Amino acid sequence: MKTRGRIRSMFEKGGSLERLWPLLDAAETFLFRLPARTSGGAHIRDAYDLKRMMMIVVLALFPCMAFGTYNVGYQFYASAGIAAGHLDCLIKGLWVVVPLYAVTFAVGGFWEAFFALVRGEEINEGFFVTGTLIPLVMPPTIPLWQLALAVSFGVVLGKELFGGTGMNVFNPALVSRAFLFFAYPKSISGAGVWVLKGDRMVDAVSGATPLHLGIEPVGDIVPYLSSNGFDFWRMFSGLEPGSIGETSVIAILMGAALLLVTRVASWRIMLSVFAGGAAMALLCNAFAPSPASMLALPAHYHFVMGGFAFGAVFMATDPVSAAGTNAGKFIYGFLIGVLAVLVRTLNPAYPEGMMLAILFMNLFSPLIDYMVVRLNMRRRRLRAAG
Amino acid sequence: MELINIGIRAIFTENILLAYFLGMCSFLALSKKMSTSFGLGVAVIFVLSITAPVNWILHEYVLREGALAWLDPRMREVDLSFLVFISFIAVIAALVQVVEMAIEKFSSKLYSALGIYLPLITVNCAILGVSLFMVERRLTLAETAVFGVSSGIGWFMAIVSMAAIRWKLRYSNIPSAMRGLGITMLVTGLMAMAFMIFSGISLGH
């Protein structure tokens, strides 16, 4: 205790290491209880704070993280034609996922600390969620230096320049991914990057995700997918190529349950993303020129393919970049679902649209909020007048 | 179908502001307040829907190479296309003035909403840009009309959403060097990235 006090005094105002105060502050919050107590009128008698909220999101991501790690190994051995045990798959997956996390947290943590030191603010927990999300939306083959660039772009331009956690307009994890998507499209799109490849490859394995197959189907779309190994339940369970965390709907649903029970994420957004996706898929079904077209894909297939479920549960519900009003959340979520399915079915340039759909609606969420607030004001004014 | 396609492209895929970065100055300077942005956006739609077809007619029957053949077959050789810039600008400026006077005379309500923004728009490069694109892309009169209106709608959407974002950013603790124009430029770039979602979409194939 005495040493801690002495160290503390070095960092406090007038101490020799005054400039590095945010670093000490971050370490202390992480390791100890804060010496500071709330003074004055705090009305919530609960230790609910930003940190706990963030930790719940990170906890909710654990199933995706664990399954994703396993799946990376599983896809590797499957593509190499080796019969491997569950443990082997997990270990192989760890070899890939741990470095991704190490780079993400080192680079992201560096920027977070850098901005806190320069601006003389506290280092906060905001980066934990972003940092946990970023590797989960990356393909397992992503080069580490590109990941580092993407994390820098997302954290600095997507968040820190807006003033840090809670003040950004766009979801920083998605800004990172979108940066890679447009700057290094070869590493994050196409059919070749979703499975880690060894020296040996079995000829029959393409490594494409179901969405890539969907671009030019041969025969009716649903039987075509399942003849390629992508039947509904396999995609639901998640043993398919894809970004690390996005494949398993079971794992995502476990996370969603935790987020909904603790009320960390908005059920309005989650529900309306799925509703929007379903509505758009039904509309597409009605206009599908032939049952072989991507337009004929039933709604529940859209939900289990690609990043739809992951985006709906973890990305769209980001309380900072989403709409804030209740009515706005419904509109925001619904349009995300509509746009994601629209891109999948009608935009030949991208097989998947979830990331850009969410970014696009991030852009319009302040406008939606503004309209909702204005309409509300007008309604109340009319009520007061009449 | 082709008309709808042109409309969708002008609003989303090739948004005049976010894909070509035309009309940036008024976009950056006047997106601070929602009411201003709204008025300016409506005024841009309004002006574009008039100037684009008028410029088309001017180009088709006066400026284009061989356009004057309807006057006299001997004028088939005349090519006035070097006058395109100056005459388009003149047409835009004159039309805006006439429209402003007409609105002032007939609808004072609309005038008070749009009035101050109309003269500003004369120098908005998006307006001239649309007229020049229509020449370059060899659009027909109907296509030009649709292209003009939808470019205006695209610009309107961009400035209104930017105003809402800046309304939200009032409470953000942005580094002092980035305040104002800096963060607006950054948001514009990210907006353009988000608008990439529509690139590649085209109907009727």
Side-chain angles (χ1 to χ4, degrees), chain A residues 130-155:
Chain A
T130 311
T132 316
L133 280 168
I134 288 175
L136 295 182
V137 294
M138 294 292 168
T141 54
I142 191 80
L144 293 177
W145 65 271
Q146 289 182 5
L147 179 69
L149 269 183
V151 172
S152 303
F153 189 89
V155 170

Side-chain angles (χ1 to χ4, degrees), chain A residues 5-90:
Chain A
R6 203 178 310 136
I7 295 174
R8 229 183 127 72
S9 66
M10 276 162 65
F11 285 90
E12 269 162 1
K13 270 237 148 61
S16 52
L17 296 172
E18 189 191 327
R19 287 187 68 87
L20 299 177
W21 164 255
L23 285 182
L24 177 85
D25 183 61
E28 264 196 333
T29 350
F30 193 70
L31 296 170
F32 304 104
R33 272 171 51 187
L34 272 182
R37 294 274 175 281
T38 322
S39 61
H43 299 287
I44 302 174
R45 304 287 168 128
D46 187 89
Y48 191 73
D49 61 354
L50 186 64
K51 201 196 303 178
R52 198 208 271 184
M53 185 172 165
M54 297 279 186
M55 285 332 277
I56 289 173
V57 182
V58 172
L59 268 182
L61 281 165
F62 270 151
C64 292
M65 220 188 282
F67 184 87
T69 309
Y70 172 80
N71 189 39
V72 168
Y74 178 88
Q75 295 300 333
F76 170 76
Y77 286 119
S79 75
I82 303 168
H86 295 308
L87 197 63
D88 293 328
C89 292
L90 198 61

Side-chain angles (χ1 to χ4, degrees), chain A residues 115 119 121 153 157-158 160-164 167-170 174-175 178-179 182 320-322 339 342-343 346-350 353 356-357 359-360 362-367 369-370 373, chain B residues 12 18 33-35 38 157-158 160-169 171-176 178-179 183 186-203:
Chain A
F115 272 86
R119 304 192 67 196
E121 287 172 353
F153 189 89
L157 292 176
E160 294 299 345
L161 289 184
F162 286 91
M167 297 176 175
N168 43 305
V169 175
F170 297 91
L174 285 181
V175 172
F179 167 78
F182 292 118
V320 180
S321 55
L339 280 174
L342 179 95
V343 172
L346 289 177
N347 191 343
Y350 313 130
L356 287 171
L359 278 177
F360 191 77
N362 281 172
L363 158 64
F364 281 100
S365 67
L367 185 63
D369 277 344
Y370 184 89
V373 170
Chain B
F12 295 111
L18 295 170
K33 270 183 68 188
M34 184 57 103
S35 51
F38 188 86
M157 265 176 59
V160 170
S161 57
M162 177 55 104
I165 289 175
R166 291 178 81 165
W167 174 70
K168 181 182 177 179
L169 287 178
Y171 301 115
S172 291
N173 178 22
I174 298 164
S176 47
M178 289 294 289
R179 295 223 171 110
I183 200 74
L186 179 60
V187 173
T188 312
L190 293 173
M191 265 168 109
M193 193 165 81
F195 261 76
M196 297 277 279
I197 185 174
F198 295 107
S199 68
I201 290 185
S202 66
L203 296 169

Side-chain angles (χ1 to χ4, degrees), chain B residues 84-154:
Chain B
V84 155
F85 287 96
I86 191 134
S87 41
F88 279 4
I89 292 173
V91 164
I92 291 168
L95 267 178
V96 169
Q97 279 305 313
V98 171
V99 166
E100 193 190 353
M101 275 142 67
I103 292 179
E104 193 178 6
K105 176 108 173 92
F106 294 113
S107 162
S108 61
K109 204 176 165 196
L110 189 64
Y111 182 74
S112 59
L114 291 185
I116 36 170
Y117 304 117
L118 283 171
L120 272 177
I121 285 174
T122 319
V123 290
N124 184 330
C125 34
I127 312 280
L128 181 62
V130 165
S131 291
L132 293 175
F133 279 141
M134 126 218 136
V135 172
E136 195 176 285
R137 294 178 191 169
R138 296 166 201 280
L139 301 177
T140 63
L141 181 58
E143 286 169 351
T144 303
V146 171
F147 180 62
V149 175
S150 12
S151 293
I153 295 174

